[in-house]
Amino acid sequence: MSEDQTPENAGEQPEESLFEAPPMGEQERMVEAILFASAEPVTVKELAGRMPHGCDPAEALVHLRKRYEGRGVTLIKVGDAWAMRTAPDLGFLMQKETVETRKLSRAAVETLAIVAYHQPVTRAEIEEIRGVSVSRGTVDQLIELEWIRFGRRRMTPGRPVTFVVTQDFLDHFGLESARDLPGLKELRSAGLLESRPAPSLASDEDSEDGDEDENQSEMFDEA
Amino acid sequence: MSEDQTPENAGEQPEESLFEAPPMGEQERMVEAILFASAEPVTVKELAGRMPHGCDPAEALVHLRKRYEGRGVTLIKVGDAWAMRTAPDLGFLMQKETVETRKLSRAAVETLAIVAYHQPVTRAEIEEIRGVSVSRGTVDQLIELEWIRFGRRRMTPGRPVTFVVTQDFLDHFGLESARDLPGLKELRSAGLLESRPAPSLASDEDSEDGDEDENQSEMFDEA
Amino acid sequence: MDVSDRLAAEALIVDVDGFEGPLDLLLTLSRTQKVDLRQISVLALAEQYLAFIDKARDLRLELAADYLVMAAWLAFLKSRLLLPPDPSEEGPSGEELAAHLAFQLERLSAMRDHAAKLMARDQLGRDFFARGITEDVTRTRRVTYTATLLDLMQGYARIRTKDEFRPFVMDRDRVFTMEEALGRMRGLIGFAGEWTDILSYLPEGWEMDPVKRRSATASTFAASLELAKEGKIELRQGDVFAPIQIRKKDR
């Protein structure tokens, strides 16, 4: 290797003549180790400064680059410096996706249930049925889950948007259609509804989902 | 690929059945990229968790280790994990990367060696070997360096805690396992790792010996 | 104790603090014997140690208690080693005790040597290096929410169960309660000497709205039953669906 050293160079750097530069294979190893351990990209000049005299890091880089071609790690040039990086196509390995399953909040479950049983339903109607206001986050969450979506606007003053359940919803809950949802009577007979008849009121709580006023008048009619 | 999928499988484990494991060359690249990107040793289990389903990181590691033999960067085993490290003979190039470590006190070095060679070892046993009490600071320092940690409690009266060395310790000293400690075999065959009880004196010459005897009985139980 | 021993002890006396306990001191003293620790003369070592302690006392150096305990023990050991064994004496012989001390010294010495070997190994961050630019694994957390059909139905059931109580809590403005009807009728009944349709007792403003009318009718009817039970009024109805009439009952 030292044969290609011109005498001029040797004259400039006296150490060169004292020791022969290591073989190119060794120089390649050195460049490899330096680039691996360095926290920042390293310039050729810096490499030369750190390697024994007479080394040719530029040439070593050419060899090294070839060696890493197609590997999981590649040699890249950053400005006038060099660095090792994982191959771009393997970037997915540097991501770890953890999937966390959480139970839907009670507010979300109830809102979802109301949309399912009463669709198309406006936000005001949901609030009326639940008796509490529905937070934006709850609706957004259900939309994000793609379990509810916007339906047609209601043709009433203010033209409020309505919500309906999606096909994803039906798929998730194993329903052919929202009409397959069990009615209150079935819920009760399945033991899902605690039987708490209101005192002195008629027994027909099971009246299907009409609106509240209707329910009440029905109750009185039967009294 | 998907033709042979029965719908049941597809539903249950989409990842496993939809894709075949990548060819071994690709798996080798993946292991290379992951190990390159990490400063900490990575276990085979972690590798498997990050690579696509069906990969065999253990086999890929065998290939990769061979590939890096004699390079400037090598693949080393630390406990049950693997890491990329620069070849030790190139340390001289790394003055820039060298981390100045706090010089360990003689007490700390000896305590560390005793834990490494005698592990699991109780504080009383360390004191018995060194003939002097172990200061809290010494143990704290070694724990802080993450070179020793608490092991299981010894099932002897008082249930004393034991100390063992950590993976960081192995990593720091380039050891594949604690069995590779220098001169371990010789020490063992010379009987110097046995806990040999002091011949107990008939009468209590002085009260201080009382403690000593207890400690020794612990070591006795171990033997 | 010969002169050379004394000299050696004197050289060591400079700094007692330099020793890490009596065992360390003994190990250092043992080096003057220049023999394998397995061949060491424990008797000579004991004498060296005791001389050292004496010297330290002469110089009024403060010695930690464990140095003195060791001195006492070595004096005892020395006597056992020098005197012929007493068959009546129990416990280990002087030789056994000496052998154990030698073992302790050898073990400490071995641990020192191996500690040095360990520290002489290539070390991470000094001789070999980890990756300089690490690429952290970015952890993305994806949260999926689950709910079962059961959750859904239970949620709905919860709301509907709540609805049953709503007339009492929420919709009072459209419900005329029996208590209200009773109060109203008790005030009016004094004037009702003749048979009067109970519908005339409906409060003002409750006759037109069908919902309110129904509620007021029901509660007024219920209240009249209550008043009849109390014996305050009489009730009559001419025919099915005919108007129900009431009048004050005179006692």
Side-chain angles (χ1 to χ4, degrees), chain B residues 21-40:
Chain B
M24 189 44 69
E26 269 307 294
Q27 293 189 33
E28 203 191 310
R29 286 182 74 226
M30 290 177 188
V31 172
E32 188 179 25
I34 293 172
L35 293 184
F36 235 86
S38 172
E40 303 288 315

Side-chain angles (χ1 to χ4, degrees), chain C residues 33-48:
Chain C
Q33 292 190 22
K34 294 187 176 118
V35 290
D36 188 322
L37 279 169
R38 289 177 186 229
Q39 263 87 58
I40 198 165
S41 161
V42 170
L43 185 59
L45 189 62
E47 279 171 348
Q48 277 175 289

Side-chain angles (χ1 to χ4, degrees), chain B residues 103-162:
Chain B
K103 212 163 153 48
L104 284 183
S105 68
R106 182 171 143 183
V109 169
E110 282 182 22
T111 302
L112 179 63
I114 291 168
V115 174
Y117 284 91
H118 291 259
Q119 66 171 343
V121 66
T122 66
R123 179 189 287 259
E125 288 161 355
I126 297 169
E127 294 183 343
E128 152 76 11
I129 293 169
R130 293 196 62 229
V132 70
S133 64
V134 176
S135 83
R136 191 163 179 82
T138 303
V139 172
D140 286 353
Q141 190 188 11
L142 293 174
I143 289 176
E144 206 175 295
L145 280 166
E146 296 186 44
W147 282 351
I148 69 171
R149 63 173 174 85
F150 292 109
R152 285 201 183 165
R153 284 185 182 275
R154 184 68 56 77
M155 285 302 140
T156 52
R159 304 191 66 229
V161 293
T162 61

Side-chain angles (χ1 to χ4, degrees), chain B residues 35 40-49 57 61 78-82 167:
Chain B
L35 293 184
E40 303 288 315
V42 184
T43 63
V44 175
K45 200 177 156 203
E46 268 175 78
L47 285 170
L61 278 162
V78 182
D80 57 351
W82 293 81
Q167 178 178 287

Side-chain angles (χ1 to χ4, degrees), chain B residues 36-37 39 50 85-86 88 91 94 98-99 106 110 113 118 128 130 171-175 182 187 190 196 200, chain C residues 20 24 38 92 100 103-104 107 111-112 114-115 118 121-125 127-131 134-135 137:
Chain B
F36 235 86
R50 283 170 66 180
R85 298 288 181 251
T86 61
M94 310 293 171
T98 306
V99 257
R106 182 171 143 183
E110 282 182 22
H118 291 259
E128 152 76 11
R130 293 196 62 229
D171 192 17
H172 186 91
F173 290 99
L175 295 163
L187 282 176
R196 203 178 287 178
S200 62
Chain C
E20 296 215 14
D24 183 39
R38 289 177 186 229
H100 186 69
F103 166 74
Q104 281 180 294
R107 184 173 60 182
M111 285 327 296
R112 291 234 165 114
H114 284 78
L118 185 66
R121 282 185 70 86
D122 291 331
Q123 292 184 36
L124 180 66
D127 307 293
F128 63 99
F129 296 84
R131 177 76 169 134
T134 55
E135 289 165 59
V137 177

